[in-house]
Amino acid sequence: TFTVKLPYINWNVVRGAFDGDGCLVKDKRCNYWKFEIVSASEQFTYQLYDFYKEEGLHAHIYKENNLYKINILQRKDIQKVFINLYKDCSYYLKRKYDKFLPVIQETE
């Protein structure tokens, strides 16, 4: 919807948004990773932004057509996202979890 505003944001909410409307991709030209969640709700996007900021993550918001995209680009921040998304978690999309494996393996 265009007006989603949740009473709170936590890592479970972020994982649900990532599993539904998120992606993790590597730009091979520039050799960087991008963690992104897309929403039609400006309010929800800014809630995510505030949550990321509280967690010490650097995020950027872009508006494209009627969609809001919130990105995390720094590798150390993406690693922190991975740790927090899947810590003590038993319910998630395996294919989305598997997307993180190359970025984690690159740093080992």
Side-chain angles (χ1 to χ4, degrees), residues 33 56-58 60 72-80:
W33 289 90
L57 302 169
H58 301 89
H60 308 279
I72 295 176
L73 302 174
Q74 293 182 10
R75 187 171 292 168
K76 67 178 179 61
D77 287 349
I78 293 173
Q79 292 166 340
K80 186 175 180 178

Side-chain angles (χ1 to χ4, degrees), residues 11 24-35 56-60 71-84 99-108:
W11 286 107
L24 178 68
V25 295
K26 182 176 185 179
D27 183 323
K28 294 179 180 160
R29 297 169 295 159
C30 301
N31 197 30
Y32 76 90
W33 289 90
K34 176 175 69 172
F35 175 84
L57 302 169
H58 301 89
H60 308 279
N71 298 329
I72 295 176
L73 302 174
Q74 293 182 10
R75 187 171 292 168
K76 67 178 179 61
D77 287 349
I78 293 173
Q79 292 166 340
K80 186 175 180 178
V81 167
F82 171 78
I83 290 165
N84 286 294
K99 291 267 190 179
F100 278 97
L101 298 181
V103 73
I104 300 306
Q105 290 170 349
E106 278 186 7
T107 59
E108 294 178 345

Side-chain angles (χ1 to χ4, degrees), residues 1-53:
T1 68
F2 296 99
T3 58
V4 171
K5 183 175 181 185
L6 300 178
Y8 64 89
I9 300 287
N10 63 23
W11 286 107
N12 293 324
V13 172
V14 175
R15 186 175 52 258
F18 173 66
D19 282 354
D21 294 315
C23 64
L24 178 68
V25 295
K26 182 176 185 179
D27 183 323
K28 294 179 180 160
R29 297 169 295 159
C30 301
N31 197 30
Y32 76 90
W33 289 90
K34 176 175 69 172
F35 175 84
E36 179 175 80
I37 294 176
V38 178
S39 176
S41 171
E42 181 179 16
Q43 289 179 314
F44 176 66
T45 303
Y46 278 94
Q47 282 186 288
L48 283 174
Y49 180 83
D50 291 340
F51 175 75
Y52 291 161
K53 190 174 179 181

